[in-house]
Amino acid sequence: MNRSHSLRHGRPTSGSSRTNGHRFTFLSLRGHATHTSLPKLIKMENNLVSAYETAGREQQTVALQLSQWGEETGDDAIGDLSDKVAVILSEIGDIEENHASQIDDSRRVLKTIRNIENSVQPLRDAKQKLIDQIVMLKHKDPESIKLIEQEQKLVRLEAENLVAEAQLTHVSRQKLKEAYNMYFSSVQERAEKQRLLSHYGRKLLDLLDDTPVIPGDARIAYESEKEAKELLLEAEEALHSWRPGQLSYEREHISNNNLVTEQSHNNFRKPDLSTVAVIKHETNEETEKSISLA
């Protein structure tokens, strides 16, 4: 990813070059902050949802076309395996659509922030309007009684605004965390399930003999239909039993096992060399006595 580790200022980082490897080259993608930014974000995420839904449907269409083509070839191996690979591809399409649905759920959480922003904005506007009026009044008539009334009104409005802003800050943090936890959980689920399905898809392809055959010679008959069916059932079971973080847990489990093995090796007690020397000396003395008696 060719960007810096922050997205704060919207300009390239100084001194960045290709020799630095993978880096974020922008500090920010942020322009001037306005109260319309969140509605735009929510709308853009709606477009993202539509894109994933479209990708899912297209994937299923591709899967169907692959299955139909395989049947038309008249090749038993291609016909069987293309159909089963198509099932895998169709499942991948389902995962895309499910990902779209979960992004939409995440998007709805962000709407909570938007709704509170909309309720706070009139208070902000009223406060700013009152401040402007006070400034003008001070300039025109510093001794006006109305000025005192306006300042008292501003104190009350600021207190009300303070409560609203505090609530907005709390809800914004809470809902931002909730929304993107949902988002990243969905990304993880999508990635791990598609990785799982890809694994079985490649195992199915391994059953396809693509060894060149001399023209006129008969190819070995395809006899892997049962094995292919078992792989498909195994993939279905693995997908059904999938749990979040399962793949990362397997890596961690292997790593921990290696660590335990290494610790066990390090904890193995080495023999005391001084003890060995004493035993060896005593053994030699007993041997010499036996020889002299003989």
Side-chain angles (χ1 to χ4, degrees):
M1 287 182 280
N2 198 23
R3 298 186 184 278
S4 78
H5 295 288
S6 176
L7 299 178
R8 277 292 129 88
H9 303 298
R11 62 176 183 272
T13 56
S14 59
S16 62
S17 67
R18 293 183 180 273
T19 58
N20 292 332
H22 293 290
R23 292 178 60 86
F24 294 103
T25 57
F26 291 95
L27 291 179
S28 178
L29 295 179
R30 180 173 299 175
H32 297 291
T34 67
H35 66 279
T36 62
S37 296
L38 185 58
K40 285 181 180 178
L41 170 62
I42 292 170
K43 184 177 180 180
M44 289 175 180
E45 287 208 338
N46 188 46
N47 296 337
L48 185 62
V49 169
S50 299
Y52 277 113
E53 287 175 341
T54 300
R57 289 192 297 268
E58 290 296 326
Q59 180 72 76
Q60 290 167 350
T61 302
V62 167
L64 179 60
Q65 194 66 28
L66 173 63
S67 177
Q68 291 175 349
W69 168 78
E71 186 179 20
E72 292 171 0
T73 61
D75 185 312
D76 291 341
I78 292 178
D80 181 56
L81 292 173
S82 65
D83 187 47
K84 290 177 172 58
V85 168
V87 172
I88 296 289
L89 294 178
S90 181
E91 287 295 331
I92 290 175
D94 284 343
I95 291 170
E96 291 292 291
E97 291 188 325
N98 181 63
H99 183 51
S101 176
Q102 293 187 59
I103 291 177
D104 199 35
D105 291 340
S106 167
R107 174 175 162 269
R108 279 196 286 269
V109 173
L110 291 177
K111 288 182 178 180
T112 306
I113 306 175
R114 182 200 62 187
N115 294 340
I116 296 180
E117 271 193 356
N118 290 341
S119 66
V120 171
Q121 192 60 41
L123 287 174
R124 292 173 176 170
D125 295 340
K127 176 185 171 183
Q128 187 58 50
K129 183 178 179 181
L130 189 56
I131 290 173
D132 293 342
Q133 289 175 353
I134 290 172
V135 170
M136 290 180 62
L137 201 56
K138 282 183 177 180
H139 180 70
K140 288 183 177 181
D141 188 4
E143 304 298 327
S144 173
I145 298 177
K146 188 177 180 181
L147 179 60
I148 299 174
E149 294 175 353
Q150 294 289 71
E151 287 177 340
Q152 290 175 347
K153 184 178 179 181
L154 179 61
V155 170
R156 292 192 298 270
L157 195 58
E158 282 181 335
E160 187 178 353
N161 189 71
L162 189 64
V163 173
E165 292 287 357
Q167 183 188 14
L168 175 60
T169 299
H170 172 69
V171 171
S172 295
R173 292 185 177 209
Q174 185 183 54
K175 295 303 179 181
L176 175 66
K177 190 173 183 178
E178 180 184 347
Y180 282 98
N181 266 328
M182 292 172 64
Y183 183 94
F184 289 125
S185 293
S186 179
V187 170
Q188 180 183 2
E189 178 180 351
R190 171 177 174 262
E192 292 188 3
K193 284 185 175 181
Q194 290 189 352
R195 176 187 170 187
L196 187 152
L197 289 170
S198 298
H199 168 73
Y200 283 100
R202 296 178 75 172
K203 290 187 77 171
L204 285 168
L205 292 173
D206 286 341
L207 300 177
L208 184 61
D209 180 14
D210 60 348
T211 306
V213 176
I214 298 174
D217 288 356
R219 184 179 288 278
I220 299 174
Y222 173 66
E223 298 178 348
S224 300
E225 186 173 355
K226 182 179 179 181
E227 186 178 354
K229 184 177 181 180
E230 288 175 353
L231 280 174
L232 203 58
L233 292 173
E234 188 178 330
E236 183 181 6
E237 176 60 28
L239 195 63
H240 178 72
S241 60
W242 174 88
R243 295 294 180 271
Q246 182 178 355
L247 300 182
S248 59
Y249 167 78
E250 290 172 357
R251 290 194 297 272
E252 183 181 351
H253 183 66
I254 293 170
S255 177
N256 288 340
N257 282 345
N258 291 338
L259 180 62
V260 170
T261 304
E262 184 179 351
Q263 288 175 342
S264 300
H265 177 73
N266 293 336
N267 292 336
F268 181 81
R269 292 184 60 187
K270 296 181 179 179
D272 189 341
L273 296 180
S274 61
T275 304
V276 172
V278 171
I279 294 172
K280 184 177 180 181
H281 177 70
E282 292 176 351
T283 303
N284 290 338
E285 287 183 345
E286 290 177 0
T287 303
E288 289 174 359
K289 287 180 181 179
S290 299
I291 293 172
S292 62
L293 289 173

